[in-house]
Amino acid sequence: SVFFGETQARYVVSSASPERIEEIVRGHGVPVKRIGTVTAAAAGFTVRAAGRVIEAEVATLSAAWHDTIGNIMSAPAAEVALEPALAGA
């Protein structure tokens, strides 16, 4: 939830006219902050925060999201790392 914690107080909005969205929201007295820009998937995914930069290809992130459970379920038990508390350590 670091990037997309969507509670009642936070919403992620994507718009072709972000300036207009900001104007409307501010007009209602609601704080607003632009946290990023949508680009073509070929440009990759970049996050800049606290002086650090994280970059990844969208295909890599997509595979990680969609394939994780299947990869874990098909791996031999010895290859699946558990939290120490769950492993009885």
Side-chain angles (χ1 to χ4, degrees):
S1 72
V2 171
F3 299 117
F4 303 106
E6 295 187 20
T7 64
Q8 290 181 338
R10 298 182 190 134
Y11 297 91
V12 175
V13 177
S14 181
S15 171
S17 303
E19 295 82 7
R20 180 67 181 130
I21 298 296
E22 291 170 354
E23 178 183 331
I24 292 168
V25 171
R26 285 191 180 105
H28 289 280
V30 176
V32 62
K33 181 175 183 178
R34 191 178 309 191
I35 61 169
T37 302
V38 176
T39 60
F45 181 80
T46 303
V47 175
R48 292 177 179 85
R52 302 183 89 180
V53 177
I54 300 169
E55 294 178 316
E57 292 182 10
V58 173
T60 301
L61 297 173
S62 178
W65 172 259
H66 291 287
D67 300 340
T68 297
I69 293 175
N71 289 341
I72 290 171
M73 297 303 288
S74 65
E79 292 182 18
V80 178
L82 294 176
E83 291 289 325
L86 298 176

Coordinates of all heavy atoms in Angstrom, one line a residue:
S1 N 0.8 -1.2 0.0 CA 0.0 0.0 0.0 C 0.8 1.3 0.0 O 0.3 2.4 0.1 CB -0.9 0.0 1.2 OG -0.2 0.2 2.4
V2 N 2.2 1.1 -0.2 CA 3.0 2.3 -0.2 C 2.6 3.2 -1.4 O 2.6 4.4 -1.2 CB 4.5 1.9 -0.3 CG1 5.4 3.1 -0.6 CG2 5.0 1.2 0.9
F3 N 2.3 2.6 -2.5 CA 2.0 3.4 -3.7 C 0.5 3.7 -3.9 O 0.2 4.7 -4.4 CB 2.6 2.8 -5.0 CG 4.1 2.6 -4.9 CD1 4.6 1.3 -4.9 CD2 4.9 3.7 -4.8 CE1 6.0 1.2 -4.9 CE2 6.3 3.5 -4.8 CZ 6.8 2.3 -4.8
F4 N -0.3 2.7 -3.6 CA -1.7 2.9 -3.9 C -2.6 2.5 -2.8 O -3.5 1.7 -2.9 CB -2.0 2.0 -5.1 CG -1.2 2.3 -6.3 CD1 -0.2 1.4 -6.7 CD2 -1.4 3.5 -7.0 CE1 0.6 1.8 -7.8 CE2 -0.6 3.8 -8.1 CZ 0.4 2.9 -8.5
G5 N -2.4 3.1 -1.6 CA -3.2 2.9 -0.5 C -4.5 3.7 -0.7 O -4.6 4.9 -0.5
E6 N -5.6 3.0 -1.1 CA -6.8 3.7 -1.5 C -7.9 3.5 -0.3 O -8.8 2.8 -0.5 CB -7.4 3.1 -2.8 CG -6.4 3.4 -3.9 CD -6.9 3.1 -5.3 OE1 -8.2 2.9 -5.4 OE2 -6.1 2.9 -6.2
T7 N -7.6 4.2 0.8 CA -8.6 4.3 1.8 C -9.6 5.4 1.5 O -9.5 6.0 0.5 CB -7.9 4.6 3.2 OG1 -7.3 5.9 3.1 CG2 -6.8 3.6 3.5
Q8 N -10.5 5.6 2.5 CA -11.5 6.7 2.2 C -10.8 8.0 2.0 O -11.4 8.9 1.5 CB -12.5 6.8 3.4 CG -13.4 5.6 3.4 CD -14.4 5.7 4.6 OE1 -14.1 6.4 5.6 NE2 -15.5 4.9 4.5
A9 N -9.6 8.2 2.6 CA -9.0 9.5 2.5 C -8.0 9.7 1.3 O -7.5 10.7 1.1 CB -8.3 9.8 3.8
R10 N -7.8 8.6 0.6 CA -6.8 8.7 -0.5 C -7.3 8.0 -1.7 O -7.9 6.9 -1.7 CB -5.5 8.0 -0.1 CG -4.8 8.6 1.1 CD -3.5 7.9 1.4 NE -3.0 8.3 2.6 CZ -2.5 7.6 3.6 NH1 -2.5 6.3 3.4 NH2 -2.1 8.1 4.7
Y11 N -7.1 8.6 -2.9 CA -7.6 8.1 -4.1 C -6.5 8.3 -5.2 O -5.9 9.4 -5.2 CB -8.9 8.7 -4.6 CG -10.0 8.4 -3.6 CD1 -10.3 9.3 -2.5 CD2 -10.7 7.2 -3.7 CE1 -11.3 9.0 -1.6 CE2 -11.7 6.9 -2.8 CZ -12.0 7.8 -1.8 OH -13.0 7.5 -0.9
V12 N -6.3 7.4 -6.1 CA -5.4 7.5 -7.2 C -6.3 7.8 -8.4 O -7.2 7.0 -8.7 CB -4.6 6.3 -7.4 CG1 -3.8 6.4 -8.7 CG2 -3.7 6.0 -6.2
V13 N -6.1 8.9 -9.1 CA -6.8 9.3 -10.3 C -5.9 9.5 -11.4 O -4.9 10.1 -11.3 CB -7.6 10.7 -10.0 CG1 -8.3 11.1 -11.2 CG2 -8.5 10.5 -8.8
S14 N -6.3 9.0 -12.6 CA -5.5 9.2 -13.8 C -6.4 10.0 -14.8 O -7.5 9.7 -14.9 CB -5.1 7.8 -14.4 OG -4.4 7.9 -15.5
S15 N -5.8 11.0 -15.4 CA -6.5 11.8 -16.3 C -5.7 12.4 -17.4 O -4.5 12.7 -17.2 CB -7.1 13.0 -15.4 OG -7.7 14.0 -16.3
A16 N -6.3 12.6 -18.5 CA -5.6 13.3 -19.6 C -5.4 14.8 -19.3 O -4.7 15.5 -20.0 CB -6.3 13.0 -20.9
S17 N -6.2 15.3 -18.3 CA -6.1 16.7 -18.0 C -5.9 16.8 -16.5 O -6.8 17.3 -15.7 CB -7.5 17.4 -18.3 OG -7.7 17.2 -19.7
P18 N -4.7 16.5 -16.0 CA -4.5 16.5 -14.5 C -4.6 17.9 -13.9 O -5.1 18.0 -12.8 CB -3.1 16.0 -14.4 CG -2.4 16.1 -15.7 CD -3.5 16.0 -16.7
E19 N -4.3 18.9 -14.7 CA -4.4 20.3 -14.1 C -5.9 20.6 -13.8 O -6.2 21.2 -12.8 CB -3.8 21.3 -15.1 CG -2.3 21.2 -15.4 CD -2.0 20.1 -16.4 OE1 -2.9 19.5 -17.0 OE2 -0.8 19.9 -16.5
R20 N -6.8 20.2 -14.7 CA -8.2 20.4 -14.5 C -8.7 19.7 -13.2 O -9.5 20.2 -12.4 CB -9.0 20.0 -15.7 CG -10.5 20.2 -15.6 CD -10.8 21.7 -15.5 NE -12.3 21.8 -15.4 CZ -12.9 22.6 -14.4 NH1 -12.2 23.3 -13.6 NH2 -14.2 22.6 -14.3
I21 N -8.2 18.4 -13.1 CA -8.6 17.6 -11.9 C -8.2 18.3 -10.6 O -8.9 18.5 -9.7 CB -8.1 16.2 -12.0 CG1 -8.6 15.4 -13.2 CG2 -8.3 15.4 -10.7 CD1 -10.1 15.2 -13.2
E22 N -6.9 18.8 -10.6 CA -6.4 19.5 -9.5 C -7.2 20.7 -9.2 O -7.4 21.0 -8.0 CB -4.9 19.8 -9.7 CG -4.0 18.6 -9.7 CD -2.6 18.8 -10.2 OE1 -2.3 20.0 -10.6 OE2 -1.8 17.9 -10.1
E23 N -7.5 21.4 -10.2 CA -8.3 22.7 -10.0 C -9.7 22.4 -9.4 O -10.1 23.1 -8.4 CB -8.5 23.3 -11.4 CG -9.4 24.6 -11.4 CD -9.6 25.1 -12.8 OE1 -8.7 24.9 -13.7 OE2 -10.7 25.7 -13.0
I24 N -10.3 21.3 -9.8 CA -11.7 21.0 -9.3 C -11.5 20.5 -7.9 O -12.3 21.0 -7.0 CB -12.3 19.8 -10.1 CG1 -12.7 20.4 -11.5 CG2 -13.5 19.2 -9.4 CD1 -13.0 19.3 -12.5
V25 N -10.6 19.7 -7.6 CA -10.4 19.1 -6.2 C -10.0 20.3 -5.2 O -10.6 20.4 -4.2 CB -9.3 18.1 -6.2 CG1 -8.9 17.6 -4.8 CG2 -9.8 16.8 -7.0
R26 N -9.1 21.1 -5.6 CA -8.8 22.3 -4.8 C -9.9 23.2 -4.5 O -10.1 23.8 -3.5 CB -7.6 23.0 -5.3 CG -6.3 22.3 -5.1 CD -5.1 23.2 -5.5 NE -3.8 22.4 -5.3 CZ -3.1 21.9 -6.3 NH1 -3.4 22.2 -7.5 NH2 -2.0 21.3 -6.0
G27 N -10.8 23.3 -5.6 CA -12.0 24.2 -5.5 C -12.9 23.7 -4.4 O -13.8 24.4 -3.9
H28 N -12.8 22.4 -4.0 CA -13.7 21.8 -3.0 C -12.9 21.7 -1.6 O -13.4 21.1 -0.7 CB -14.1 20.4 -3.4 CG -15.2 20.5 -4.5 ND1 -16.5 20.7 -4.3 CD2 -15.0 20.3 -5.8 CE1 -17.1 20.7 -5.4 NE2 -16.3 20.4 -6.4
G29 N -11.7 22.4 -1.6 CA -11.0 22.4 -0.4 C -10.3 21.1 0.0 O -10.0 20.8 1.2
V30 N -10.1 20.2 -1.0 CA -9.5 18.9 -0.7 C -8.0 19.0 -1.1 O -7.7 19.4 -2.2 CB -10.2 17.8 -1.5 CG1 -9.6 16.5 -1.4 CG2 -11.7 17.7 -1.1
P31 N -7.1 18.5 -0.3 CA -5.7 18.5 -0.6 C -5.5 17.6 -1.8 O -6.1 16.5 -1.8 CB -5.0 18.1 0.6 CG -6.0 17.9 1.7 CD -7.4 18.1 1.1
V32 N -4.6 17.9 -2.7 CA -4.3 17.1 -3.8 C -2.8 17.1 -4.1 O -2.2 18.2 -3.9 CB -5.1 17.5 -5.1 CG1 -4.8 18.9 -5.5 CG2 -4.9 16.5 -6.2
K33 N -2.2 16.0 -4.5 CA -0.8 16.0 -4.9 C -0.6 15.1 -6.1 O -1.1 14.0 -6.1 CB 0.0 15.5 -3.7 CG 1.5 15.5 -4.0 CD 2.3 15.1 -2.8 CE 3.8 15.2 -3.1 NZ 4.6 14.9 -2.0
R34 N 0.1 15.6 -7.0 CA 0.4 14.8 -8.2 C 1.6 13.9 -7.8 O 2.7 14.3 -7.4 CB 0.8 15.6 -9.4 CG 0.9 14.8 -10.7 CD 1.2 15.6 -11.9 NE 0.3 16.8 -12.0 CZ 0.2 17.5 -13.1 NH1 1.0 17.2 -14.1 NH2 -0.6 18.5 -13.2
I35 N 1.4 12.5 -7.9 CA 2.5 11.6 -7.5 C 3.2 10.9 -8.7 O 4.1 10.2 -8.5 CB 1.9 10.6 -6.6 CG1 0.9 9.7 -7.2 CG2 1.4 11.2 -5.3 CD1 0.5 8.5 -6.4
G36 N 2.7 11.2 -9.9 CA 3.4 10.5 -11.0 C 2.7 10.9 -12.3 O 1.8 11.6 -12.4
T37 N 3.3 10.3 -13.4 CA 2.8 10.5 -14.7 C 2.8 9.2 -15.5 O 3.7 8.4 -15.4 CB 3.8 11.5 -15.5 OG1 3.9 12.7 -14.8 CG2 3.3 11.7 -16.9
V38 N 1.6 8.9 -16.1 CA 1.5 7.7 -16.9 C 2.2 7.9 -18.2 O 2.1 8.9 -18.9 CB 0.0 7.4 -17.1 CG1 -0.2 6.2 -18.0 CG2 -0.7 7.2 -15.8
T39 N 3.0 6.9 -18.5 CA 3.8 6.9 -19.8 C 3.5 5.6 -20.5 O 2.9 4.7 -20.0 CB 5.3 7.1 -19.6 OG1 5.7 6.0 -18.8 CG2 5.6 8.4 -18.8
A40 N 4.0 5.5 -21.7 CA 3.9 4.3 -22.5 C 4.6 3.1 -21.8 O 5.6 3.4 -21.1 CB 4.5 4.5 -23.9
A41 N 4.1 1.9 -21.9 CA 4.6 0.8 -21.2 C 6.1 0.6 -21.6 O 6.9 0.2 -20.8 CB 3.8 -0.5 -21.5
A42 N 6.4 0.9 -22.8 CA 7.8 0.8 -23.3 C 8.8 1.6 -22.5 O 10.0 1.3 -22.5 CB 7.9 1.1 -24.8
A43 N 8.3 2.7 -21.9 CA 9.2 3.6 -21.1 C 9.6 3.0 -19.8 O 10.5 3.4 -19.1 CB 8.5 4.9 -20.9
G44 N 8.9 1.9 -19.4 CA 9.2 1.2 -18.1 C 8.5 1.9 -17.0 O 7.6 2.8 -17.1
F45 N 8.8 1.5 -15.8 CA 8.2 2.0 -14.5 C 9.3 2.6 -13.7 O 10.3 1.9 -13.4 CB 7.5 0.8 -13.8 CG 6.8 1.2 -12.5 CD1 5.6 1.8 -12.5 CD2 7.5 1.0 -11.3 CE1 5.0 2.2 -11.4 CE2 6.8 1.3 -10.1 CZ 5.6 1.9 -10.2
T46 N 9.2 3.8 -13.3 CA 10.2 4.5 -12.5 C 9.6 5.1 -11.3 O 8.6 5.8 -11.4 CB 11.0 5.6 -13.3 OG1 11.5 5.0 -14.5 CG2 12.1 6.2 -12.5
V47 N 10.2 4.9 -10.1 CA 9.7 5.5 -8.9 C 10.9 6.3 -8.3 O 12.0 5.7 -8.1 CB 9.2 4.5 -7.8 CG1 8.8 5.2 -6.5 CG2 8.0 3.7 -8.4
R48 N 10.7 7.5 -7.9 CA 11.7 8.3 -7.3 C 11.2 8.8 -5.9 O 10.1 9.4 -5.9 CB 12.1 9.6 -8.1 CG 12.8 9.2 -9.4 CD 13.0 10.5 -10.2 NE 13.7 10.2 -11.5 CZ 13.1 9.8 -12.6 NH1 11.8 9.6 -12.6 NH2 13.9 9.5 -13.7
A49 N 11.9 8.4 -4.9 CA 11.4 8.8 -3.5 C 12.6 8.8 -2.6 O 13.5 7.9 -2.7 CB 10.3 7.8 -3.0
A50 N 12.6 9.8 -1.7 CA 13.7 9.9 -0.7 C 15.1 9.8 -1.3 O 16.0 9.1 -0.7 CB 13.5 8.8 0.4
G51 N 15.3 10.4 -2.4 CA 16.6 10.4 -3.0 C 17.0 9.1 -3.7 O 18.1 8.9 -4.1
R52 N 16.1 8.2 -3.8 CA 16.4 6.9 -4.5 C 15.5 6.7 -5.7 O 14.5 7.3 -5.8 CB 16.1 5.7 -3.5 CG 16.9 5.9 -2.2 CD 16.7 4.7 -1.3 NE 17.7 3.7 -1.7 CZ 17.8 2.6 -1.1 NH1 17.0 2.2 -0.1 NH2 18.7 1.7 -1.5
V53 N 16.0 5.9 -6.6 CA 15.3 5.6 -7.9 C 15.1 4.1 -8.0 O 16.1 3.4 -7.9 CB 16.0 6.2 -9.1 CG1 15.3 5.8 -10.4 CG2 16.2 7.7 -9.0
I54 N 13.9 3.7 -8.3 CA 13.6 2.3 -8.6 C 13.1 2.2 -10.0 O 12.1 2.9 -10.4 CB 12.6 1.7 -7.7 CG1 13.1 1.8 -6.2 CG2 12.2 0.2 -8.1 CD1 12.0 1.4 -5.2
E55 N 13.7 1.4 -10.9 CA 13.3 1.3 -12.3 C 13.1 -0.2 -12.6 O 13.8 -1.1 -12.1 CB 14.3 1.8 -13.2 CG 14.5 3.3 -13.1 CD 15.6 3.9 -14.0 OE1 16.7 3.3 -14.1 OE2 15.3 4.9 -14.6
A56 N 12.1 -0.5 -13.4 CA 11.8 -1.9 -13.8 C 11.0 -1.8 -15.1 O 10.3 -0.8 -15.4 CB 11.0 -2.6 -12.8
E57 N 11.1 -2.9 -15.9 CA 10.3 -3.0 -17.1 C 8.9 -3.5 -16.7 O 8.7 -4.3 -15.8 CB 11.0 -4.1 -18.1 CG 12.3 -3.6 -18.6 CD 12.9 -4.7 -19.6 OE1 12.1 -5.6 -20.0 OE2 14.0 -4.5 -20.0
V58 N 7.9 -2.9 -17.4 CA 6.5 -3.3 -17.1 C 6.3 -4.8 -17.3 O 5.6 -5.4 -16.5 CB 5.6 -2.4 -18.0 CG1 4.1 -2.9 -17.8 CG2 5.7 -1.0 -17.7
A59 N 6.9 -5.4 -18.3 CA 6.7 -6.8 -18.5 C 7.2 -7.6 -17.2 O 6.6 -8.6 -16.8 CB 7.4 -7.3 -19.7
T60 N 8.3 -7.2 -16.6 CA 8.9 -7.9 -15.5 C 7.9 -7.7 -14.3 O 7.7 -8.7 -13.6 CB 10.3 -7.3 -15.1 OG1 11.1 -7.4 -16.2 CG2 10.9 -7.9 -13.9
L61 N 7.4 -6.5 -14.1 CA 6.5 -6.3 -13.0 C 5.2 -7.1 -13.2 O 4.6 -7.7 -12.3 CB 6.2 -4.8 -12.9 CG 7.3 -3.9 -12.5 CD1 6.9 -2.5 -12.6 CD2 7.9 -4.3 -11.1
S62 N 4.7 -7.1 -14.5 CA 3.5 -7.9 -14.8 C 3.7 -9.3 -14.5 O 2.8 -10.0 -13.9 CB 3.1 -7.6 -16.2 OG 2.0 -8.4 -16.6
A63 N 4.8 -9.9 -14.9 CA 5.1 -11.3 -14.7 C 5.1 -11.6 -13.2 O 4.6 -12.6 -12.7 CB 6.4 -11.8 -15.4
A64 N 5.8 -10.7 -12.4 CA 5.9 -10.9 -11.0 C 4.5 -10.9 -10.3 O 4.2 -11.7 -9.5 CB 6.8 -9.8 -10.4
W65 N 3.6 -10.0 -10.8 CA 2.3 -9.9 -10.2 C 1.4 -11.1 -10.6 O 0.8 -11.8 -9.8 CB 1.6 -8.7 -10.7 CG 0.2 -8.6 -10.4 CD1 -0.9 -8.8 -11.1 CD2 -0.4 -8.2 -9.1 NE1 -2.1 -8.6 -10.4 CE2 -1.8 -8.2 -9.2 CE3 0.2 -7.8 -7.9 CZ2 -2.6 -7.9 -8.1 CZ3 -0.6 -7.5 -6.8 CH2 -2.0 -7.5 -6.9
H66 N 1.4 -11.5 -11.9 CA 0.5 -12.6 -12.4 C 1.1 -14.0 -12.1 O 0.2 -14.9 -12.0 CB 0.3 -12.4 -13.9 CG -0.5 -11.2 -14.2 ND1 -1.9 -11.1 -13.9 CD2 -0.2 -10.0 -14.7 CE1 -2.3 -9.9 -14.2 NE2 -1.3 -9.2 -14.7
D67 N 2.4 -14.2 -12.0 CA 2.9 -15.5 -11.9 C 3.4 -15.9 -10.6 O 3.7 -17.1 -10.4 CB 4.1 -15.6 -12.9 CG 3.7 -15.4 -14.4 OD1 2.5 -15.5 -14.7 OD2 4.6 -15.0 -15.2
T68 N 3.4 -15.0 -9.6 CA 4.0 -15.4 -8.3 C 3.3 -16.6 -7.6 O 4.0 -17.5 -7.2 CB 3.9 -14.1 -7.3 OG1 4.7 -13.1 -7.9 CG2 4.4 -14.4 -6.0
I69 N 2.0 -16.6 -7.5 CA 1.4 -17.7 -6.8 C 1.6 -19.0 -7.5 O 2.0 -20.0 -6.9 CB -0.1 -17.4 -6.5 CG1 -0.3 -16.3 -5.6 CG2 -0.8 -18.7 -6.0 CD1 -1.7 -15.8 -5.3
G70 N 1.5 -19.0 -8.8 CA 1.7 -20.2 -9.6 C 3.2 -20.7 -9.4 O 3.4 -21.9 -9.3
N71 N 4.1 -19.8 -9.5 CA 5.5 -20.2 -9.3 C 5.8 -20.7 -7.9 O 6.5 -21.7 -7.8 CB 6.4 -18.9 -9.5 CG 6.5 -18.5 -11.0 OD1 6.1 -19.3 -11.9 ND2 6.9 -17.3 -11.2
I72 N 5.2 -20.2 -6.9 CA 5.4 -20.7 -5.5 C 4.8 -22.1 -5.4 O 5.4 -23.0 -4.8 CB 4.8 -19.7 -4.5 CG1 5.7 -18.4 -4.4 CG2 4.7 -20.4 -3.1 CD1 5.1 -17.3 -3.6
M73 N 3.6 -22.2 -5.9 CA 2.8 -23.5 -5.8 C 3.5 -24.6 -6.6 O 3.4 -25.8 -6.2 CB 1.4 -23.3 -6.3 CG 0.6 -22.3 -5.4 SD 0.6 -22.7 -3.7 CE -0.5 -24.2 -3.7
S74 N 4.2 -24.3 -7.7 CA 4.9 -25.3 -8.5 C 6.3 -25.6 -8.1 O 6.9 -26.5 -8.5 CB 4.8 -25.0 -9.9 OG 5.6 -23.8 -10.2
A75 N 6.9 -24.8 -7.2 CA 8.2 -25.0 -6.7 C 8.3 -26.1 -5.7 O 7.4 -26.3 -4.9 CB 8.8 -23.7 -6.1
P76 N 9.4 -26.8 -5.7 CA 9.6 -27.8 -4.6 C 9.6 -27.1 -3.2 O 10.0 -26.0 -3.1 CB 11.0 -28.4 -4.9 CG 11.2 -28.2 -6.3 CD 10.5 -26.9 -6.6
A77 N 9.1 -27.8 -2.2 CA 8.9 -27.2 -0.9 C 10.2 -26.6 -0.3 O 10.2 -25.5 0.3 CB 8.3 -28.2 0.1
A78 N 11.3 -27.2 -0.6 CA 12.6 -26.7 -0.1 C 13.0 -25.4 -0.7 O 13.8 -24.6 -0.2 CB 13.7 -27.7 -0.4
E79 N 12.4 -25.0 -1.9 CA 12.8 -23.8 -2.5 C 11.9 -22.6 -2.1 O 12.2 -21.4 -2.4 CB 12.6 -23.9 -4.1 CG 13.7 -24.8 -4.7 CD 13.5 -24.9 -6.2 OE1 12.9 -24.0 -6.8 OE2 14.1 -25.9 -6.7
V80 N 10.9 -22.8 -1.4 CA 9.9 -21.8 -0.9 C 10.4 -21.3 0.4 O 10.4 -22.0 1.4 CB 8.5 -22.3 -0.9 CG1 7.6 -21.2 -0.4 CG2 8.0 -22.8 -2.2
A81 N 10.8 -20.0 0.5 CA 11.3 -19.4 1.7 C 10.1 -19.0 2.6 O 9.2 -18.3 2.1 CB 12.2 -18.2 1.4
L82 N 10.2 -19.4 3.8 CA 9.1 -19.0 4.7 C 9.7 -18.0 5.7 O 10.9 -17.9 6.0 CB 8.7 -20.2 5.5 CG 7.9 -21.3 4.8 CD1 7.6 -22.5 5.7 CD2 6.7 -20.8 4.1
E83 N 8.8 -17.2 6.3 CA 9.2 -16.3 7.4 C 9.7 -17.2 8.5 O 9.1 -18.3 8.8 CB 7.9 -15.5 7.9 CG 7.4 -14.5 6.9 CD 8.3 -13.3 6.8 OE1 9.0 -13.0 7.8 OE2 8.5 -12.8 5.6
P84 N 10.8 -16.8 9.2 CA 11.3 -17.6 10.3 C 10.3 -18.0 11.3 O 10.3 -19.2 11.7 CB 12.4 -16.7 10.9 CG 12.8 -15.8 9.7 CD 11.5 -15.6 8.9
A85 N 9.4 -17.2 11.7 CA 8.4 -17.5 12.7 C 7.5 -18.6 12.2 O 7.0 -19.5 12.9 CB 7.6 -16.3 13.0
L86 N 7.2 -18.7 10.9 CA 6.3 -19.7 10.3 C 7.1 -21.0 10.1 O 6.5 -22.1 10.0 CB 5.8 -19.2 9.0 CG 4.8 -18.0 9.0 CD1 4.4 -17.6 7.6 CD2 3.6 -18.3 9.9
A87 N 8.4 -20.9 9.9 CA 9.2 -22.1 9.7 C 9.6 -22.8 11.0 O 10.3 -23.8 10.9 CB 10.4 -21.7 8.9
G88 N 9.2 -22.2 12.1 CA 9.5 -22.9 13.4 C 10.9 -22.5 13.9 O 11.5 -23.1 14.8
A89 N 11.5 -21.4 13.3 CA 12.9 -21.0 13.7 C 12.8 -20.2 14.9 O 11.8 -19.6 15.3 CB 13.6 -20.3 12.6

